[in-house]
Amino acid sequence: MFEAESLFALLRQTLDPSSAATIESLIAESPDHKLVRINVVALATEQHLDEEQTIALFLHAAKIGIFDMSWDVLCPSCGHVLDSNKTLRTIRSEDYFCANCAEGYEPTLDEMVEITFTVSPRVRRVAAHNPDQLSPLEYLRQISFGSHLDIPTNFEAFFDEVALESLELPPKERAIISLQMSQGLFFIVDLVTHSVQFLDVRGERTKEKQHLAFIIDRTSIQHPKTELRPGPLRISFENSLNRRALPVVFIASDLFRHVIKTHQPFLSAKRLLSNQTFRNIYGTETLDADQRLKITSLTFVFTDLHGSTELYDRIGDLAAFDLVKAHFSVLNEIVATQGGAVVKTIGDAVMATFPTPDRALAAALRMREAMRNLNLERKRDDLLLKIGIHEGPCIAVTLNDRQDYFGQTVNIASRVQGLASSREIFATGSVVEGVKASDVLDVKGLQPMPHKIQLRGIADRVSVYAIP
């Protein structure tokens, strides 16, 4: 208890009192399962909190040690957690295999890696800190299912409806169960090892007892589908592991399929890597030097000051440096407010990332307006900002001890920025043509002008829009 109070005291020194109180009350009042693999985006929606502020709040609390942060690899088809990691560095670049789906998936940071938070045992012990003590129901809810699944509030009733039988099988033990099977599709799964076997029950009912053996080990992840007839079934389970197994016989019902296919927004690895608070707090604690992880879609914004060399000549080094520094401060604030992150600055230029094109476009418009306001204050046009935006796939890497990005999308974004002369925003079609980005422009009453342009080093002509 003393350690918990010390951590909360440190949190109150780091954050404003209201934010710290939000965390303290959440931990004090929530049931155990609500403090395991917390989906902070869903929590923000549920409690009517600002998403970006909630993410920042949990990141600070995790850095202090109040929460343990987890990078969970998800099956994109069935929604189960395939792997749980304390850091991004231990996520593999090669395929993850899902026994439920009998498919291998190359991990991408967009939808396959979620970031969750579990209360630290230093603050409050919950049942999931010892998962080998969880019942099959709680193991499914707290360990097996990803936080992105919209799990029913009455999970007990859901489990009762979809689970025919469940067991807790100690190491090296055996058990036998007898069931009366009706027509339909069923599957047996061990929640611990993900070993699975599908049962296709069809045809005429039989009175003869049918037999099935289900061996739980690390060598047979998915057993071949078995066809059975409706009627009595005797299943013998054998746990060959040195740890407890949790075999469950599930009904592959519409209800079960609905739950694993109904997703809610969550904090993806892509979004976290493009979060300024995360980059500020964790710095280079993300990827190993040799690690390469794919992102399906990320939006890049490049900015540069037009005529900065002439600016230094005109007003002097000291005054120009202060002005450029003020410009960086404004841009950093705008990027963070729109849920993005500054990856790096190169001279007077900025490279920033955003999880979606609409956020990047909104940030670019605010940047341009902010520079106009700074110029009005100074009564001279010293700050003329050139902006380029592009969206597409890329690879997250570590370069020069800094988390960075590599790929053609980055190159195109940089080239698009080079098209601008002054006070201009150029964005590619993949940015402007999205519905949400179009809404951003409509609100401002802006009509982008399309062009087909040959960019240096890019083979095909690119659809680029000039935003007035």
Side-chain angles (χ1 to χ4, degrees):
M1 182 61 71
F2 174 76
E3 186 173 17
E5 285 302 323
S6 298
L7 292 173
F8 283 133
L10 184 56
L11 184 68
R12 287 190 287 269
Q13 294 172 16
T14 306
L15 302 171
D16 63 271
S18 175
S19 297
T22 298
I23 292 293
E24 290 191 61
S25 62
L26 175 73
I27 292 173
E29 299 168 8
S30 299
D32 277 13
H33 71 269
K34 288 282 192 178
L35 296 176
V36 179
R37 286 187 174 161
I38 298 170
N39 178 338
V40 293
V41 176
L43 178 69
T45 300
E46 179 185 317
Q47 299 197 4
H48 307 290
L49 303 172
D50 179 83
E51 277 188 16
E52 296 301 327
Q53 292 177 5
T54 304
I55 293 169
L57 172 59
F58 272 81
L59 288 172
H60 282 291
K63 189 64 174 178
I64 290 170
I66 292 174
F67 290 105
D68 294 325
M69 190 162 63
S70 180
W71 302 71
D72 302 328
V73 180
L74 306 172
C75 172
S77 182
C78 71
H80 283 72
V81 175
L82 303 180
D83 188 25
S84 189
N85 302 266
K86 292 183 179 179
T87 171
L88 184 60
R89 294 183 178 189
T90 56
I91 292 179
R92 309 192 309 264
S93 299
E94 61 269 22
D95 286 1
Y96 281 83
F97 183 79
C98 177
N100 291 332
C101 305
E103 289 284 350
Y105 302 97
E106 183 181 8
T108 62
L109 301 183
D110 305 68
E111 300 299 327
M112 275 191 67
V113 182
E114 69 173 7
I115 315 303
T116 58
F117 298 83
T118 297
V119 65
S120 169
R122 299 161 64 192
V123 176
R124 173 180 160 181
R125 288 206 65 84
V126 296
H129 288 143
N130 190 355
D132 285 340
Q133 298 299 317
L134 290 175
S135 67
L137 181 151
E138 290 300 341
Y139 198 98
L140 180 67
R141 171 161 58 181
Q142 299 183 44
I143 307 298
S144 299
F145 278 165
S147 77
H148 68 305
L149 296 181
D150 192 7
I151 296 174
T153 303
N154 190 344
F155 194 78
E156 292 78 5
F158 163 76
F159 189 82
D160 287 343
E161 188 167 342
V162 300
L164 277 182
E165 188 66 77
S166 62
L167 297 174
E168 297 184 48
L169 198 57
K172 306 300 182 181
E173 290 290 328
R174 299 182 180 185
I176 297 174
I177 64 170
S178 295
L179 298 171
Q180 284 291 331
M181 304 299 294
S182 58
Q183 290 213 39
L185 183 63
F186 303 81
F187 61 101
I188 307 169
V189 61
D190 171 46
L191 300 179
V192 177
T193 63
H194 306 291
S195 296
V196 65
Q197 179 164 23
F198 284 87
L199 310 176
D200 188 5
V201 183
R202 63 171 74 183
E204 300 221 357
R205 176 169 289 275
T206 180
K207 292 182 179 179
E208 295 181 10
K209 186 168 288 186
Q210 302 165 103
H211 298 271
L212 181 70
F214 189 80
I215 299 173
I216 301 168
D217 57 25
R218 292 291 184 184
T219 61
S220 183
I221 297 300
Q222 187 177 69
H223 304 266
K225 182 189 288 187
T226 297
E227 291 189 5
L228 299 168
R229 290 168 63 186
L233 173 64
R234 177 187 172 102
I235 307 176
S236 61
F237 294 96
E238 180 181 348
N239 180 11
S240 63
L241 303 175
N242 291 319
R243 62 174 297 182
R244 182 186 70 150
L246 295 174
V248 183
V249 182
F250 284 111
I251 308 168
S253 62
D254 290 341
L255 175 61
F256 197 97
R257 282 188 284 268
H258 173 76
V259 167
I260 65 174
K261 295 297 183 183
T262 306
H263 298 172
Q264 58 184 340
F266 66 97
L267 180 58
S268 67
K270 177 185 84 168
R271 181 171 178 182
L272 191 63
L273 293 180
S274 287
N275 179 279
Q276 192 64 55
T277 301
F278 175 76
R279 294 183 73 99
N280 291 344
I281 294 176
Y282 288 88
T284 59
E285 299 176 31
T286 48
L287 294 162
D288 275 340
D290 296 329
Q291 200 173 12
R292 310 285 187 268
L293 292 171
K294 288 186 177 181
I295 297 176
T296 305
S297 170
L298 192 64
T299 307
F300 292 86
V301 172
F302 279 82
T303 74
D304 195 12
L305 284 175
H306 174 70
S308 57
T309 302
E310 292 83 354
L311 175 65
Y312 280 84
D313 284 339
R314 189 168 63 252
I315 66 175
D317 288 349
L318 187 59
F321 175 76
D322 287 341
L323 189 57
V324 171
K325 187 177 177 182
H327 132 273
F328 277 137
S329 178
V330 170
L331 295 193
N332 283 334
E333 181 182 354
I334 291 172
V335 169
T337 301
Q338 292 296 329
V342 172
V343 178
K344 58 188 173 185
T345 58
I346 310 163
D348 302 326
V350 168
M351 171 186 172
T353 58
F354 296 83
T356 55
D358 57 300
R359 289 176 180 243
L361 190 54
L365 294 172
R366 287 188 57 192
M367 289 174 185
R368 182 165 66 180
E369 186 62 29
M371 293 305 103
R372 284 173 177 162
N373 292 336
L374 281 175
N375 286 331
L376 285 174
E377 291 174 12
R378 292 176 49 81
K379 297 182 180 179
R380 55 191 303 169
D381 286 344
D382 287 327
L383 297 174
L384 304 176
L385 197 64
K386 304 182 293 179
I387 304 173
I389 316 172
H390 180 51
E391 172 271 339
C394 63
I395 298 174
V397 298
T398 293
L399 290 175
N400 302 320
D401 296 323
R402 176 176 51 207
Q403 196 262 303
D404 207 334
Y405 301 93
F406 178 82
Q408 191 73 312
T409 297
V410 183
N411 297 333
I412 291 175
S414 176
R415 300 282 192 274
V416 169
Q417 183 273 318
L419 297 174
S421 54
S422 65
R423 281 204 187 101
E424 291 176 322
I425 300 174
F426 279 88
T428 58
S430 61
V431 173
V432 173
E433 293 164 8
V435 174
K436 290 186 177 180
S438 296
D439 290 343
V440 172
L441 295 171
D442 289 344
V443 168
K444 296 287 187 179
L446 299 174
Q447 186 64 44
M449 295 182 295
H451 304 275
K452 280 285 187 179
I453 296 178
Q454 187 73 54
L455 298 175
R456 179 171 55 87
I458 309 299
D460 297 327
R461 290 166 67 85
V462 178
S463 175
V464 177
Y465 288 81
I467 301 172

